[in-house]
Amino acid sequence: MNNVTVVGAGLAGCEAAWQLARRGVNVALIEMKPLRRSPAHHLDDFCELVCSNSLKADRTESASGLLKAELRLLDSLVLRCAERTRVEAGGALAVDREAFSRLVTREIVNHPRIKVEAREVTEIPPEGPCVIATGPLTDEPLAADIATKTGAPLFFFDAAAPLVSADSLDWECCYEASRYGRGTPDYANCPMDADTYRAFRAALAEAEEAPVRDFEDKRIFEGCMPIEVMARRGEDTLRYGPLKPVGLRDPRTGQGAYAVLQLRRDNAAGSVYNLVGCQTHLTFGEQKRVFSLVPALKNAEFLRFGVMHRNSYLDSPRCLNADFSLRSDPRVHFAGQMTGVEGYVESCASGAMAGIALARKLLGQTSAVFPPETMLGALSAYIANPAVTALQPMNANFGILPPLVNPSRHKKEKYAALAARALETLQTLVMERWEEFSL
């Protein structure tokens, strides 16, 4: 049977390997861990979630929820493992990050058609079909080889939020609830009055940032904006962003607050919490000082401080086809954030699409470019659209789907209709060609 090399065992690489293997293709999955780790990684297992432990909303009338529903139709390994290791997070799909990585690793290692090799790859394989899924932190010299063969990669800076110990929170100053009462009360909510918020916002805006290694141009992706940058944009920017109090009332008083910092469980035991929306690049000392101004965090034990790191991605509209193959060398496919999709589930989706497309080529089947009415197809169409002159990393969103005929004026109804059309389109595609999509 055909053999495919997949480089990188992150979300995209593992999903691509899984989709290839379940179609009868033998896969050599090459990962540099545990021999080496990037500066942002801490675990030896695969699919390590570097930033948040949340895979975002799970409701199909949300863009991220629709993408998850589409991936479930494709029997996504990543989604299956996420659901088995989920921690309660209201309407979001969040996971115990270590349990999630262990489970994906076990599924991959135990698959009879996947052989894992622990070694570094320094160039795009010169022969044979392959998927490059080494992520936004692709190491040199592979990054240099990719740049030579595709044109200079673009880059932006990304940031991660701190983690704190649940035992160190002042539970007299916070309460458990989910926004708008959706689901169970899974977030620790830290309310602030106006004076506390203003002092916190001012401290953030003036706090010292850590130096950005090797780069002076601090291009930052808007979807993962450091909280200190948001604080400098205006007095109320945070109150309309990650610290918005809307939909939250203290069950002890029945009252709202001027601002609320939410904490989300980061593991199944509930012993670790993630500061939601508080990705940061402040020095470690400044992080402890500033976040301790929030009453519930005054004695917080920081288990991991926030960090900023460089994310690299391709000029995909110029070099990739909609099936994620390289225009100049179609045997080579790319997947993950390096293609210009942004987010955990989006990275998984690109891996699924690249793996399915390559498997179908090898099996002599018809093209696997997904319809643009699906979120999968809309993402692939965006990153491969030559009309896009300045690629910006793209999350799943309803704005990239083709518009409806006579859409409802109500946003929720319109989004529900877009989701229904997408799932019907994908379901029809899968069911009509079921033998081509699965063994």
Side-chain angles (χ1 to χ4, degrees):
M1 182 56 196
N2 297 290
N3 293 294
V4 171
T5 300
V6 176
V7 184
L11 293 160
C14 286
E15 189 66 41
W18 173 262
Q19 295 292 347
L20 283 157
R22 66 184 294 270
R23 287 167 175 77
V25 178
N26 294 323
V27 178
L29 178 60
I30 304 175
E31 166 59 45
M32 70 178 186
K33 293 196 297 185
L35 302 178
R36 285 195 60 198
R37 298 178 187 167
S38 79
H41 289 89
H42 305 278
L43 305 177
D44 287 337
D45 289 325
F46 303 158
C47 280
E48 180 177 353
L49 304 183
V50 171
C51 298
S52 169
N53 72 320
S54 173
L55 277 65
K56 295 186 178 179
D58 208 20
R59 295 169 288 111
T60 54
E61 62 269 25
S62 70
S64 183
L66 171 58
L67 186 58
K68 293 181 185 68
E70 293 180 2
L71 285 167
R72 290 183 181 105
L73 288 177
L74 302 180
D75 188 28
S76 163
L77 172 67
V78 167
L79 262 292
R80 185 193 303 175
C81 292
E83 287 161 354
R84 288 172 59 186
T85 58
R86 71 186 300 157
V87 296
E88 294 306 321
L93 173 58
V95 303
D96 180 319
R97 70 177 78 216
E98 293 189 11
F100 169 72
S101 294
R102 284 196 301 271
L103 181 57
V104 175
T105 303
R106 188 175 70 203
E107 294 287 339
I108 288 291
V109 169
N110 290 335
H111 197 290
R113 291 196 178 276
I114 301 176
K115 178 183 178 182
V116 176
E117 301 178 29
R119 62 181 174 88
E120 291 185 63
V121 174
T122 58
E123 64 177 355
I124 295 175
E127 297 179 351
C130 62
V131 178
I132 307 299
T134 45
L137 296 174
T138 297
D139 199 21
E140 296 286 354
L142 177 58
D145 186 60
I146 292 172
T148 298
K149 293 173 180 173
T150 64
L154 306 173
F155 69 89
F156 65 94
F157 288 101
D158 203 352
L163 302 178
V164 296
S165 165
D167 290 340
S168 68
L169 301 178
D170 186 340
W171 289 96
E172 295 295 322
C173 297
C174 60
Y175 60 90
E176 293 181 304
S178 291
R179 200 181 298 277
Y180 300 109
R182 288 174 178 159
T184 51
D186 302 317
Y187 290 78
N189 298 278
C190 309
M192 288 178 269
D193 60 24
D195 289 341
T196 302
Y197 166 78
R198 291 183 184 122
F200 175 65
R201 203 279 310 178
L204 275 174
E206 298 168 0
E208 180 186 359
E209 292 186 6
V212 180
R213 297 179 182 177
D214 303 324
F215 293 95
E216 296 180 357
D217 181 10
K218 297 185 182 180
R219 285 179 281 181
I220 301 171
F221 175 48
E222 288 284 336
C224 201
M225 181 70 61
I227 191 170
E228 62 270 15
V229 175
M230 285 188 279
R232 297 181 194 121
R233 290 186 170 185
E235 181 73 32
D236 292 321
T237 302
L238 294 175
R239 292 185 62 241
Y240 289 94
L243 305 189
K244 66 181 179 183
V246 179
L248 290 169
R249 290 193 176 275
D250 190 330
R252 300 167 299 185
T253 65
Q255 301 298 312
Y258 192 76
V260 177
L261 191 160
Q262 286 196 301
L263 309 182
R264 180 180 56 243
R265 292 183 184 181
D266 204 73
N267 63 358
S271 60
V272 181
Y273 276 81
N274 185 303
L275 277 62
V276 177
C278 293
Q279 53 271 8
T280 181
H281 187 51
L282 298 180
T283 63
F284 291 174
E286 288 285 74
Q287 288 183 46
K288 183 171 180 57
R289 178 183 71 84
V290 174
F291 287 112
S292 295
L293 295 175
V294 178
L297 300 178
K298 61 189 175 208
N299 297 313
E301 176 190 2
F302 287 78
L303 303 178
R304 188 193 73 186
F305 288 103
V307 294
M308 180 178 279
H309 52 85
R310 188 191 74 168
N311 276 358
S312 297
Y313 59 101
L314 305 172
D315 186 7
S316 295
R318 250 57 59 193
C319 64
L320 292 186
N321 296 308
D323 65 354
F324 293 86
S325 63
L326 192 60
R327 291 179 183 174
S328 61
D329 189 354
R331 72 183 175 84
V332 179
H333 290 65
F334 285 87
Q337 285 190 200
M338 67 193 312
T339 66
V341 299
E342 172 61 25
Y344 291 149
V345 182
E346 290 84 348
S347 293
C348 164
S350 69
M353 288 187 280
I356 291 170
L358 183 48
R360 291 173 66 81
K361 285 182 185 178
L362 297 174
L363 296 170
Q365 297 171 344
T366 55
S367 170
V369 174
F370 287 78
E373 293 81 10
T374 66
M375 193 60 74
L376 289 160
L379 281 170
S380 64
Y382 173 82
I383 65 100
N385 184 359
V388 175
T389 56
L391 181 67
Q392 291 292 317
M394 181 59 68
N395 292 107
N397 67 88
F398 285 113
I400 61 176
L401 293 176
L404 295 164
V405 177
N406 300 321
S408 170
R409 293 183 179 181
H410 299 286
K411 185 169 68 173
K412 288 185 178 180
E413 292 179 2
K414 182 173 74 172
Y415 288 172
L418 285 167
R421 182 186 67 178
L423 293 175
E424 182 180 359
T425 300
L426 185 58
Q427 185 77 24
T428 299
L429 176 66
V430 172
M431 293 304 293
E432 287 183 353
R433 302 176 182 175
W434 188 253
E435 292 302 320
E436 298 180 4
F437 268 87
S438 62
L439 295 177

